[in-house]
Amino acid sequence: MTTTLITGANKGLGFETARRLVAAGHTVYVGSRDAERGRRVAERLGARAVPLDITDDASVRAAAETVEAGGGLDVLVNNAGIQEEMRDGTVVIRAAELTADVMHRTFETNVFGTVRVLHAFLPLLGRSAAPVVVNVSSALASLTVVTAAGTPAYAYPGVAYPASKTAVNMITVQYAKAFPNMRINAVEPGFTMTDLNQNTGVQTVEQGAEIIVRMAQVGPDGPTGGYFDAEGPLPW
Ligand SMILES: NC(=O)c1ccc[n+]([C@@H]2O[C@H](COP(=O)([O-])OP(=O)(O)OC[C@H]3O[C@@H](n4cnc5c(N)ncnc54)[C@H](OP(=O)(O)O)[C@@H]3O)[C@@H](O)[C@H]2O)c1
């Protein structure tokens, strides 16, 4: 039996990933910073709910204790994320408007939150026979993609969100080297219709969750330290 925790699973890509992994036979913990919404989603999916705010040390510690008491963890999907610079489908905080506060809040969730969760759950993953971590990144994390003139990613004017996801990619590579017995990869779901972009994305959550679900199910012979979308490896 595979036990999986997905952060930010009360809606969007995290919800769809939870739905698919339950269908694949995983025991799924739906992480949600709103305990009641998490509970409702878990009930609907046949999953377990765990209150989890990734910016809060005590919340993350309590979630790790709950999951440990429930029998441990095999797969961690670091999905929770924010994109504060986007409003009404438009990037309103560009380089000219960016403050250290916006940068800090973005990193607090997307980067420090990911590390906080990794730190708390690595001991549990270390006891799994086949530990897997999926870090939900973005194509906007890629320096190669973002500097390719004429592409939508090149035209994206925000700074905080792409920089935070570039940090997620580096975290992925360094943890993958540090824990060679774990499969630790970063994934780009593609531009998906969710609250993150005020539903301006062009893909459905079913399409977006595809690579997250796939990388959550890699076996011990699967890739590690990689960066993938549904079509294959992406350039860093
Ligand atoms: N949609 C896209 O086009 C796209 C593209 C590339 C990458 N991504 C990435 O995919 C991931 C999922 O995003 P989404 O598109 O599904 O967006 P979404 O629908 O807005 O979902 C984001 C989830 O993260 C949760 N969250 C935010 N801050 C949190 C915190 N401090 N603690 C715990 N949970 C927190 C949200 O909880 P609340 O409901 O409580 O706010 C929500 O469950 C993100 O990492 C995002 O960067 C999305």
Side-chain angles (χ1 to χ4, degrees):
M1 190 54 132
T2 302
T3 302
T4 299
L5 167 67
I6 304 162
T7 66
N10 55 286
K11 67 179 184 182
L13 290 163
F15 172 90
E16 176 61 13
T17 301
R19 193 185 70 76
R20 297 261 287 275
L21 291 177
V22 168
H26 289 209
T27 298
V28 172
Y29 281 92
V30 168
S32 171
R33 59 179 161 174
D34 182 314
E36 179 51 26
R37 273 188 286 156
R39 198 192 57 72
R40 278 201 302 270
V41 162
E43 198 174 274
R44 191 174 143 200
L45 294 179
R48 301 178 180 183
V50 62
L52 178 51
D53 180 340
I54 69 167
T55 65
D56 182 329
D57 277 330
S59 170
V60 173
R61 261 200 313 272
E65 283 166 14
T66 300
V67 173
E68 185 168 25
L73 189 69
D74 303 295
V75 180
L76 169 64
V77 180
N78 282 311
N79 166 77
I82 61 168
Q83 189 176 20
E84 186 177 322
E85 62 220 50
M86 200 170 218
R87 310 245 172 84
D88 301 323
T90 307
V91 176
V92 293
I93 304 174
R94 293 152 298 194
E97 295 84 19
L98 183 61
T99 61
D101 280 349
V102 171
M103 197 72 175
H104 197 279
R105 282 197 296 275
T106 304
F107 271 61
E108 187 58 55
T109 300
N110 297 1
V111 182
F112 309 147
T114 296
V115 171
R116 189 175 282 109
V117 170
L118 281 166
H119 184 70
F121 284 91
L122 276 167
L124 279 70
L125 289 166
R127 296 199 283 275
S128 166
V132 171
V133 176
V134 182
N135 293 325
V136 181
S137 180
S138 165
L140 295 171
S142 166
L143 300 177
T144 307
V145 171
V146 169
T147 52
T151 63
Y154 183 94
Y156 184 89
V159 178
Y161 180 78
S164 73
K165 294 297 187 177
T166 306
V168 167
N169 279 4
M170 183 61 81
I171 286 166
T172 302
V173 165
Q174 296 299 78
Y175 277 73
K177 288 191 287 181
F179 298 97
N181 62 325
M182 300 190 188
R183 305 294 91 187
I184 305 180
N185 293 289
V187 299
E188 137 74 335
F191 191 34
T192 308
M193 228 183 294
T194 66
D195 287 347
L196 191 87
N197 47 46
Q198 297 78 46
N199 294 298
T200 55
V202 297
Q203 294 188 141
T204 63
V205 286
E206 287 81 0
Q207 293 170 310
E210 175 60 33
I211 188 63
I212 309 176
V213 170
R214 200 186 304 161
M215 295 313 290
Q217 297 183 93
V218 292
D221 298 338
T224 193
Y227 174 38
F228 303 93
D229 70 7
E231 310 302 316
L234 289 174
W236 299 106

